[in-house]
Structure formats: C-alpha cells, structure tokens
Amino acid sequence: MTIREYGIQCIKDEAQALLDLIPNIDDNFDKAVDILLQCKGKAIVTGVGKSGHIGAKIAATLASTGTPSFFVNPLDVYHGDLGVMTHDDVVVAISNSGTTDELLRFIPMVLHMQIPIIGLTGNPQSLLAKYSTCHLNVSVDHEACPLNLAPTSSTTATLAMGDALAVALMEKRNFRPQDFAHFHPGGELGKRLLTTAQDVMRQDDLPILSPEMHLGEAVILVSKGKLGLGVAEKDGQLLGIITDGDIRRAMEKWQAEFFNRTVSDIMTVAPKTVSPETKISEIQRIMHKYKIHSVLVIDKERHLLGVVDSYSCMI
C-alpha cells in the first residue's frame, strides 16, 4: 500500500471500531449515566498511560458540559491525592486490559470508601470489570496499528464512549447553549451568549433627526453617522428610523420632490429595539429573522441609548 492508503486504512479501522461499539450502549450505559446524574460530588476520572490521556480529555468534556469532574493519576493517590475523594464522588476508571496493576491497587481504596466505580475496559472478564459498579465494554476487534499493538482503535473507542456519556448527561440535565457559555466564557459562543447590547453599542455621534427635518438635510446626517441609518426623535422620545434603503426608495419615488419631503414621510415608526441587557446572540437572531442590519438600544422610557449593528456583533 502507499503511504496515503495506510492513512485511509487507519481511519477506516477506527471508524469501524466505533460502529462496532454501538451494541455496547446497553443497560450498563443507562446505569452509568444515572450514577453520574445522581452524583452529589465529583466525577473522578482515572487511568494510566494512554488511558490516562483519554481520561483527562473525558474529564474535561464532562466538566465543561455540566458534570463536575477532574482527572487524577492513580499513582498520585499513593502520595496524598486520596484526600480529594469524598463519599459523594464517582470514580470513572479506564483500562483497556482491565488488569493495569497501578489502577487495580487503587481500586480497594475506592471500594473501602463505598464510592461507585464506572469501569471502561476492553475486557468484560477483567478484575476492573468485576469490581465496577457498572462496566462499559469498549473492546475492539483489532487496533488500527499495523502491528496490532499501539493503542489506536481502542483509545478512539474509549474516547467515543466518554463523549457518549457526556452527551447523554447534557440531555438529561437539559444543558443549553447558555450553560455551555457559562463554562466557556472565552470562546466565541460564550462571548455571544454573555456579551450584551450595552457592551458593544455605539453611543457617540449618533445621527439624530427630527421628524420635521427635510430629507436633504437628513441625508447629510445619515452619511456622517456612518451607520446607514438615522434615528427620529422628538423631546427625547424615539419616534422612528430611516435607513439608506428608505432614502434610495424615496429618491426613486419622488425624484425632484425628494428634497421637499421630511423624515416623517419615510421613517419606520416601529423600529426593532432592544434593552441594554439583551444578549448579542438574541440580537443576531432578531437581525436574521427580520433581515435588518441594526437595532436600537432604548431604556424603559424609550430614550435612545445606542445602536448595535451587525459589525458590532462580530466578536
């Protein structure tokens, strides 16, 4: 085979391993989800070597999707880390063989504390599987490694099972985008779900127009404002909005009469408005629904506070 064919075969082998994993989503999977859902403490994920690396990722995924979780190396338990465990916790123990010595020496301590164990192994007959409160079978037919030695398909299967647990828990917890943003405040989604109108709105040099202003003068103010709109106000109260599109259509309609017309002749009297606390994600939804590029930010007395346009939402 060519180098490229080796790569393709590896992906095919790992993909098949995942498909073969589906029948193992059984009553034990339901039980594992329920144990984690009822857990009043933390999910403590543990494993050695490659299983440890996979465990660290599973712990991170659980933690970021609403299940308090962290990874601990079983070797560290013998040097003081046992203190992080409480009777309210759950241990997720990972070992492809189910016979990893360092992990098995850690299990009696967990059993003594009467902490539930969710075991992920490729050997349902192993000691780890035997002593687990519930066992998730992540066995694979063979590794993608041409020597059938390096953990490849097996680690992929274990990672997928961990993701399956996390996704099922998200559904059971009714985990929503706002919750995800809470755990990911630095990400793009987090910013859109946590940032509000008052954080990004333009407040200075807004193109404020009176309803009696002639359109010739209004065009100049709209142009200077560089927002593609002008806001009609009277006595500090919002009355309406005109846009570049409104001006173009008015020019086509009235032609020479255009300059004799006033803002009130073309303004939209019910523009889309939001409060300062409105999230950027909601503003984007409004813009998409009504096919507009800007919304006005007002207070409870309908006083204009600022303008949020589509560019402001690109955070």
Side-chain angles (χ1 to χ4, degrees):
M1 290 194 296
T2 66
I3 295 298
R4 185 177 301 179
E5 289 171 334
Y6 280 121
I8 292 172
Q9 187 59 49
C10 174
I11 293 174
K12 285 183 176 180
D13 287 345
E14 295 196 0
Q16 187 60 52
L18 294 182
L19 292 174
D20 292 342
L21 193 65
I22 293 174
N24 295 343
I25 305 291
D26 53 15
D27 291 344
N28 280 308
F29 182 84
D30 295 341
K31 185 176 181 180
V33 171
D34 188 61
I35 289 173
L36 289 167
L37 194 62
Q38 300 303 323
C39 176
K40 294 182 173 61
K42 308 169 294 296
I44 300 174
V45 186
T46 186
V48 179
K50 302 296 188 300
S51 294
H53 294 305
I54 296 300
K57 193 277 178 184
I58 291 174
T61 299
L62 288 170
S64 68
T65 53
T67 301
S69 176
F70 64 89
F71 175 79
V72 62
N73 190 314
L75 297 175
D76 294 333
V77 172
Y78 307 117
H79 301 283
D81 282 5
L82 185 63
V84 304
M85 294 190 196
T86 72
H87 295 284
D88 292 327
D89 296 335
V90 172
V91 166
V92 179
I94 303 172
S95 169
N96 185 47
S97 67
T99 60
T100 305
D101 182 62
E102 298 91 338
L103 192 61
L104 291 179
R105 284 190 285 142
F106 163 64
I107 296 302
M109 305 177 193
V110 180
L111 295 174
H112 177 72
M113 296 179 68
Q114 297 184 321
I115 296 175
I117 300 173
I118 298 172
L120 276 73
T121 84
N123 182 3
Q125 308 306 318
S126 64
L127 284 175
L128 177 56
K130 176 182 177 181
Y131 287 108
S132 294
T133 309
C134 69
H135 173 253
L136 300 180
N137 185 355
V138 291
S139 61
V140 297
D141 181 62
H142 63 276
E143 299 287 3
C145 163
L147 302 178
N148 196 29
L149 294 174
T152 44
S153 297
S154 59
T155 49
T156 300
T158 304
L159 183 60
M161 184 65 81
D163 287 342
L165 286 172
V167 169
L169 285 163
M170 289 174 70
E171 289 296 328
K172 295 292 288 185
R173 296 184 193 281
N174 196 31
F175 198 80
R176 291 296 173 254
Q178 290 79 2
D179 304 308
F180 189 85
H182 177 76
F183 292 105
H184 299 76
E188 179 183 348
L189 175 62
K191 289 179 182 178
R192 285 192 285 115
L193 290 169
L194 298 177
T195 304
T196 63
Q198 64 184 353
D199 295 326
V200 299
M201 67 184 182
R202 175 172 159 182
Q203 306 175 67
D204 302 323
D205 301 320
L206 297 176
I208 305 300
L209 319 172
S210 70
E212 299 85 10
M213 181 181 293
H214 285 96
L215 291 179
E217 184 180 355
V219 169
I220 296 174
L221 292 179
V222 170
S223 178
K224 286 183 177 179
K226 297 180 179 180
L227 285 171
L229 58 82
V231 182
E233 280 190 348
K234 188 170 186 177
D235 299 328
Q237 294 290 308
L238 172 66
L239 297 180
I241 186 175
I242 67 172
T243 66
D244 285 339
D246 295 328
I247 293 172
R248 287 194 300 272
R249 286 186 290 272
M251 285 181 172
E252 292 174 0
K253 179 180 179 180
W254 289 312
Q255 298 184 16
E257 291 294 319
F258 172 82
F259 293 98
N260 295 325
R261 299 287 180 166
T262 64
V263 169
S264 61
D265 290 328
I266 68 170
M267 70 183 184
T268 299
V269 295
K272 300 304 175 187
T273 61
V274 298
S275 70
E277 295 79 24
T278 304
K279 301 293 192 293
I280 291 299
S281 58
E282 173 61 14
I283 293 175
Q284 289 178 316
R285 187 194 67 78
I286 292 172
M287 289 180 178
H288 178 74
K289 179 178 180 180
Y290 295 102
K291 295 179 173 57
I292 57 178
H293 301 288
S294 302
V295 295
L296 307 182
V297 185
I298 61 173
D299 60 18
K300 294 180 180 179
E301 287 75 37
R302 290 188 63 79
H303 296 142
L304 181 67
L305 302 178
V307 176
V308 176
D309 61 14
S310 56
Y311 296 104
S312 304
C313 297
M314 294 180 181
I315 55 176

